[in-house]
Amino acid sequence: MATVRISEVNLPKDYIALKNTGSAAVNLKNWKLIDTTPTNQKRHEFIFKKDFFLQPNAEVKIWSGIDRDDAANIYQNRRAPIWNNPGDTANLYDAVGNKVDELKIGLYKIYGTVIDKENNNGISGATVAIYLRSTNTSVDGSYKLENVPSGYY
């Protein structure tokens, strides 16, 4: 199971952020980001064309604009914005073409793990709820709520 997730799509600054939530580095070579419309038409595609190792708990921002790449930022060197259409969807595919994550632009995802304070183990079956959305934790205590509108909760 892939441990790289779309952690943010920033419309005003025009970047998408990926986070490695796992305990091992992940090589993103040949991974793809695809921007699709609400009618599922492909708009833009970004491919990691060379080795890029995303370390555990690290995040990388993929910017549409022009600048120099570094360990935390990759630039597509485009003159027009990509991540600027609310309602579109950012799709992440691994090197063999499996869809590993997606995030609707303008909506957010909240994920984490519910931990027992006394023994530090994940709690299975706990209900996590926010803004009319709820889910139950998995066997290891992890959860994910998707398509949560921006705001303060």
Side-chain angles (χ1 to χ4, degrees):
M1 185 165 125
T3 59
V4 177
R5 298 284 180 238
I6 300 170
S7 58
E8 178 183 10
V9 177
N10 188 306
L11 276 68
K13 294 184 178 180
D14 199 36
Y15 69 78
I16 186 167
L18 303 179
K19 182 172 178 119
N20 181 355
T21 60
S23 59
V26 176
N27 187 356
L28 297 179
K29 183 177 182 179
N30 294 321
W31 283 51
K32 293 180 187 178
L33 279 169
I34 298 177
D35 171 24
T36 56
T37 66
T39 58
N40 209 30
Q41 294 177 316
K42 184 168 117 177
R43 300 190 70 176
H44 305 94
E45 179 178 88
F46 172 77
I47 301 171
F48 288 85
K49 295 189 179 194
K50 55 186 176 182
D51 288 333
F52 185 90
F53 290 90
L54 189 57
Q55 299 301 316
N57 296 311
E59 188 173 76
V60 61
K61 293 177 181 171
I62 296 93
W63 299 80
S64 300
I66 300 168
D67 209 332
R68 298 190 65 137
D69 295 350
D70 60 37
N73 300 281
I74 295 175
Y75 294 86
Q76 297 183 56
N77 297 317
R78 296 177 185 258
R79 298 201 183 282
I82 293 174
W83 307 109
N84 62 340
N85 298 309
D88 283 3
T89 301
N91 302 279
L92 178 63
Y93 296 85
D94 66 17
V96 295
N98 297 313
K99 186 183 217 177
V100 296
D101 203 13
E102 71 177 20
L103 183 63
K104 291 190 185 310
I105 298 172
L107 298 173
Y108 298 90
K109 176 168 45 170
I110 301 169
Y111 56 91
T113 306
V114 178
I115 302 289
D116 184 315
K117 183 179 177 181
E118 292 181 17
N119 62 22
N120 210 30
N121 291 330
I123 299 174
S124 175
T127 300
V128 178
I130 187 169
Y131 188 71
L132 304 176
R133 286 161 177 75
S134 66
T135 189
N136 291 324
T137 57
S138 65
V139 173
D140 66 353
S142 63
Y143 67 90
K144 178 167 62 170
L145 291 167
E146 297 184 285
N147 300 324
V148 178
S150 63
Y152 296 97
Y153 301 101

